[in-house]
Amino acid sequence: MPTLPRADKEIKEKRKERNVYCTFLRGGVILVLVSSVFLFGAVQPHILSLVEASIIVLFAIWWISDKETKEFTPLALPFALFLALGLFQVIPLPLPLAKLLSPHAVILREKLGTLTYWTTLSLVPALTLKELTRWFTILFLYLLVVNLFQTKEFLKNLIRALLALSIFEALYGLFLFATGSPTLLWYRKPEYVTGRVHGTYRNPDHFAGYMEMVIPLHLSQVLTWRHRSLYTTEERSKRLLGIFLVVVLTISLFFSISRAGIVAFVASFAFWTFLNLKEKERERARLTGYLWFFLILLAAYLLWIGLDPILERFFQTAQEIERGRTLVWKDTLKMIKDFPIFGTGLGTYRHSFPLYKTLPQQVFFSHAHNDYLELLAEGGLALIIPFLWGMGRILKWSLSSPSLITRGATTGVVALLIHSFFDFNFHIPANAYIFFTLAGISWTARRWER
C-alpha cells in the first residue's frame, strides 16, 4: 500500500487534532447552556461567575487554536458598537466633556460631593464593568455557537440537548406543581411553594421566558424529523409522539401562570404560523394538519387540568399593573429624561432608581420590569439603538429563509422580545444565553431546505 506524502499526513493529523478540540468545545458550550438553565437560571453570583469564566475559557481556546476563517455574522457590528459605547461609559472624561454629554451625572456627583475633574458617564463604574462582562460573555457564546455548530449534525446535537433540558424542566416543574413540594433541587425554602410551575428557576416568569423561546424551536425540530422506516404510518406516529412532548412543554408554560409569558407565546406562535403559510400548497397542508393536532391536544389537556388559576390571574392584571409597574415605568421615564443620551451606566438601575421613586418606601424594584425602558435608563439612546439594530438584523435574515429550524429559532427570539416589554428576562443570564444561542441557530440554519 503506497504511503501518503508527508504533507498529506500532516494535514490529516491537524484535521484530527482540530476535530478533537472542536468536539471538546462543542461539549463545553452545551454544558454551559444546560448548567446555566439548570442552576436556577444562573442568577446567583457564584454560579454566574463560574459560567462566565467557563465561556471566556472556551472562547479563548477556540480563538487561539482555530486557524480557520472565523464567521462573525451581521449581528457582530451592532454587538461591537453596543459594547464599545458601554465601555465608553466607564472611561474617565474631562469635566467639560462629561458635562456636555451627561449634565445630570455631573450635577448628581456635585450634590454627593464626589465630583472630580476626570469623571465617568456611569454613576457606578464598577457595576457597569460587571454588566459589560456579562454582555461580552453573551457575544463570546454567540460566536462559539455560530462557528462550532455549522453542520447539520452538530446543530442537531445542540438542539437535541436543549430538547432534553426542556423536557426535564417541564416535567420537574409539573412534579413540584402537582405535589406542592417546597424543595427546589437541593434547597428547601417556603418561598418556592407558589402554586405555579417554575422548573429549576426561582421565578415562574423567568421559567416562562425560557419555555416560550424553546417551544417553537422544538416544534419545528419535530416537524423536520425524518425517521427511516418502510412504513409511512410509523414515521407519522413518531412525529405525533414528538408533538405530544412539545404539548407537555407548552402546558408547563401555561401553568407557570405568567401572563406576559402566555401572551408572548401566543403572539409569537401566530408569527410562526404566518411564516409557514408561505410554504407550497402541499407542504402547507401537511404543516396545517400537524398544527391542528398540536392545538387540539393542547386545548384538551388545558381544559382537563383546569384553567381557573390562569384565568384568575389574568383578571388581576389591570389592577396590578396600575398599582405597580405603571408607576415604576413613569418613574423610569423621569430617569430617561434626565439621562437621555448615555444613561446612568449599565447595571446601575437599582442604585439610580431610588432618586426618582414615588412608590412607598417599603416597595423596592431592582429592575424596571421592561427591558427596553431599563436599557434606555442605563444606556440611553447610545445603547438602545445598536440593540434594536441587532434585533432587526436577526428578523431580516430569518424572514426570507426556507428553513423551518430558522423560523422556529426566530420565533423564540420574537417571543422574548415581546415578553421583555413586561419583564426583565434579559437580566436573567441563562435566558440571555438561550436567546442569543437561538439567534446563532437561526443564522446557521437559514439556508437549509427542509
Side-chain angles (χ1 to χ4, degrees):
M1 185 174 179
T3 57
L4 289 170
R6 174 177 251 173
D8 289 351
K9 282 185 176 180
E10 288 178 359
I11 290 171
K12 277 200 164 188
E13 287 176 2
K14 286 181 180 178
R15 285 179 179 173
K16 189 175 180 180
E17 287 177 9
R18 184 175 185 274
N19 288 338
V20 170
Y21 87 78
C22 280
T23 301
F24 164 76
L25 291 175
R26 290 186 198 100
V29 168
I30 291 173
L31 181 61
V32 163
L33 287 171
V34 170
S35 59
S36 65
V37 172
F38 177 75
L39 296 173
F40 318 107
V43 294
Q44 294 176 331
H46 60 285
I47 294 175
L48 178 58
S49 298
L50 181 61
V51 170
E52 288 177 342
S54 301
I55 293 173
I56 292 169
V57 169
L58 291 171
F59 182 79
I61 294 172
W62 168 72
W63 186 265
I64 295 169
S65 304
D66 196 344
K67 305 302 181 184
E68 301 288 329
T69 303
K70 296 174 173 65
E71 187 170 11
F72 291 95
T73 84
L75 194 56
L77 184 56
F79 230 135
L81 181 60
F82 179 91
L83 292 172
L85 291 170
L87 284 170
F88 185 67
Q89 290 182 323
V90 297
I91 296 175
L93 303 174
L95 186 58
L97 180 58
K99 193 171 184 178
L100 177 66
L101 297 175
S102 185
H104 272 84
V106 173
I107 293 170
L108 186 59
R109 287 180 182 277
E110 191 173 11
K111 287 181 178 178
L112 295 173
T114 59
L115 185 64
T116 58
Y117 183 78
W118 292 94
T119 187
T120 60
L121 299 178
S122 171
L123 298 179
V124 191
L127 294 178
T128 300
L129 285 171
K130 182 180 178 181
E131 185 69 4
L132 279 170
T133 301
R134 190 174 70 86
W135 278 104
F136 268 103
T137 58
I138 289 171
L139 173 62
F140 294 161
L141 183 64
Y142 171 76
L143 291 175
L144 286 170
V145 170
V146 167
N147 286 274
L148 293 174
F149 296 90
Q150 291 184 332
T151 67
K152 283 189 177 181
E153 191 54 41
F154 294 149
L155 200 62
K156 284 179 182 176
N157 290 337
L158 173 60
I159 298 173
R160 287 182 192 126
L162 289 177
L163 176 60
L165 172 64
S166 303
I167 291 171
F168 169 80
E169 287 288 329
L171 293 178
Y172 182 68
L174 289 168
F175 169 76
L176 295 181
F177 174 73
T179 59
S181 171
T183 303
L184 180 61
L185 296 182
W186 50 86
Y187 287 104
R188 184 179 179 84
K189 294 184 178 180
E191 61 265 32
Y192 294 134
V193 185
T194 61
R196 299 166 64 186
V197 174
H198 52 79
T200 60
Y201 284 78
R202 300 172 70 174
N203 188 319
D205 295 301
H206 303 152
F207 167 78
Y210 169 76
M211 278 298 170
E212 74 202 18
M213 285 191 288
V214 296
I215 288 171
L217 174 65
H218 295 323
L219 184 57
S220 299
Q221 174 192 12
V222 167
L223 295 177
T224 57
W225 280 355
R226 289 293 180 265
H227 306 280
R228 295 181 181 179
S229 174
L230 296 174
Y231 306 101
T232 307
T233 53
E234 183 180 348
E235 181 175 337
R236 187 178 294 122
S237 299
K238 290 179 179 178
R239 188 169 290 114
L240 293 177
L241 176 61
I243 291 175
F244 170 77
L245 290 175
V246 179
V247 168
V248 173
L249 304 184
T250 311
I251 289 171
S252 72
L253 165 62
F254 272 86
F255 280 92
S256 69
I257 320 182
S258 169
R259 293 160 296 192
I262 294 170
V263 169
F265 170 75
V266 172
S268 63
F269 194 79
F271 173 79
W272 183 87
T273 305
F274 167 75
L275 290 180
N276 289 295
L277 287 177
K278 297 185 295 184
E279 289 283 357
K280 295 176 182 178
E281 186 176 349
R282 181 180 175 184
E283 190 64 21
R284 186 168 66 244
R286 186 183 75 88
L287 287 173
T288 303
Y290 286 119
L291 178 60
W292 276 112
F293 176 77
F294 170 78
L295 292 174
I296 291 170
L297 193 60
L298 174 62
Y301 267 96
L302 288 174
L303 290 172
W304 178 53
I305 297 173
L307 293 172
D308 290 347
I310 301 172
L311 296 175
E312 183 180 346
R313 193 149 194 268
F314 267 95
F315 289 140
Q316 299 170 357
T317 301
Q319 187 178 12
E320 289 187 11
I321 288 179
E322 185 179 351
R323 289 182 178 178
R325 296 186 187 184
T326 302
L327 296 176
V328 175
W329 295 342
K330 286 179 180 178
D331 293 342
T332 304
L333 286 171
K334 295 175 188 175
M335 286 179 61
I336 295 168
K337 185 180 177 181
D338 284 350
F339 299 86
I341 308 300
F342 284 98
T344 61
L346 286 174
T348 63
Y349 182 86
R350 68 174 61 198
H351 295 275
S352 306
F353 179 70
L355 300 173
Y356 296 86
K357 188 178 77 167
T358 58
L359 291 162
Q361 288 298 320
Q362 66 272 20
V363 179
F364 177 75
F365 279 84
S366 57
H367 295 283
H369 287 268
N370 182 314
D371 278 325
Y372 305 102
L373 286 181
E374 187 163 343
L375 184 56
L376 264 173
E378 293 184 342
L381 291 172
L383 269 69
I384 195 72
I385 289 173
F387 178 82
L388 295 177
W389 179 22
M391 298 306 101
R393 286 199 158 188
I394 295 173
L395 294 177
K396 183 178 179 181
W397 77 53
S398 303
L399 289 174
S400 58
S401 171
S403 168
L404 196 57
I405 292 295
T406 289
R407 295 174 190 174
T410 305
T411 301
V413 167
V414 170
L416 198 72
L417 289 175
I418 295 171
H419 194 161
S420 293
F421 279 102
F422 308 98
D423 216 329
F424 51 95
N425 272 286
F426 277 106
H427 290 84
I428 305 304
N431 287 0
Y433 293 144
I434 294 295
F435 179 91
F436 284 97
T437 297
L438 292 181
I441 292 172
S442 171
W443 170 261
T444 302
R446 73 196 186 286
R447 293 197 184 113
W448 293 357
E449 296 282 353
R450 286 193 293 106

